[in-house]
């Protein structure tokens, strides 16, 4: 990857509570990242790449960029959250590589196209952990 660049996706997908950026790599539009609930204390996001752009580190770079963008844009937020399906190994690696901790495991919560019920995994990154490069453990036992 020679250059990774997020580009404002236009007013139609941009307001106070949701910001969408195209992900442009080496001049080609590869996908988008949409952050939402920006006015609700803890932002969430959706990240999607075209199939021929996957597996090249772009998702990891895009989430890393988004984290810095949101913590810089919104000084009052303490967390960024996201969820994915349990079998989405690539997205789970993208969360892990960016310091997100697994905080939730929702059993049989996500219906697949064939009717199979998949689990949903919830992740979050604390501002403090992002700034220090550490991971505050979840207190599962309390
Ligand atoms: C999920 C998605 C954003 C990941 O982005 P990506 O650019 O393909 O991911 P990366 O290339 O940064 O890879 C991240 C890690 O996942 C690993 N990975 C990729 N596919 C994997 C798989 N099937 N099993 C295990 N690990 C996998 C990669 O090896 C990499 O790990 P590494 O850095 O240790 O080598 C992208 O694949 C995508 O848009 N998928 C479709 C939409 C989607 O599922 N979005 C998430 C919605 S919650």
């Amino acid at each position: 990857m020679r250059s990774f660049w997020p580009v404002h996706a236009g007013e139609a997908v941009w307001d106070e509570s949701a910001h969408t950026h195209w992900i442009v790599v080496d001049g080609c539009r590869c996908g988008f990242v949409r952050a939402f609930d920006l006015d609700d204390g803890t932002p969430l996001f959706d990240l999607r790449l075209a199939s021929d752009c996957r597996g090249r580190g772009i998702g990891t770079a895009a989430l890393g960029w988004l984290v810095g963008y949101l913590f810089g844009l919104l000084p009052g937020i303490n967390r960024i959250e996201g969820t994915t399906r349990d079998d989405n190994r690539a997205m789970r690696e993208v969360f892990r590589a960016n310091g997100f901790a697994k905080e939730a495991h929702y059993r049989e919560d996500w219906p697949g196209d064939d009717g199979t019920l998949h689990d949903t995994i919830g992740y979050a990154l604390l501002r403090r952990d992002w700034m220090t490069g550490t991971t505050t453990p979840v207190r599962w036992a309390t």
Side-chain angles (χ1 to χ4, degrees):
M1 179 170 36
R2 291 197 305 275
S3 75
F4 165 86
W5 200 249
V7 175
H8 188 305
E11 300 307 327
V13 286
W14 194 284
D15 59 37
E16 280 182 18
S17 64
H19 291 188
T20 303
H21 288 84
W22 294 118
I23 297 165
V24 178
V25 177
D26 298 340
C28 296
R29 193 182 285 178
C30 274
F32 70 86
V33 60
R34 174 174 177 269
F36 55 98
D37 284 359
L38 302 185
D39 52 358
D40 194 34
T42 299
L44 298 158
F45 66 91
D46 191 14
L47 170 61
R48 291 190 179 267
L49 301 178
S51 51
D52 60 345
C53 291
R54 297 175 192 167
R56 291 159 41 194
I58 298 169
T60 300
L63 182 55
W65 171 81
L66 183 71
V67 163
Y69 174 77
L70 290 175
F71 280 138
L73 178 75
L74 303 167
I77 64 166
N78 185 42
R79 299 160 52 82
I80 299 168
E81 292 180 6
T83 58
T84 194
R85 220 169 78 168
D86 62 342
D87 59 348
N88 193 340
R89 302 308 309 182
M91 190 61 214
R92 294 183 66 177
E93 277 301 312
V94 166
F95 278 120
R96 190 198 53 74
N98 279 288
F100 281 68
K102 177 179 171 180
E103 290 188 341
H105 194 126
Y106 302 100
R107 295 169 297 167
E108 300 181 10
D109 175 63
W110 190 315
D113 291 340
D114 64 355
T116 305
L117 289 173
H118 298 270
D119 296 352
T120 297
I121 314 296
Y123 291 86
L125 175 64
L126 300 178
R127 181 187 289 273
R128 178 179 70 250
D129 286 355
W130 172 67
M131 292 179 71
T132 59
T134 55
T135 304
T136 303
V138 179
R139 292 195 295 262
W140 293 109
T142 59

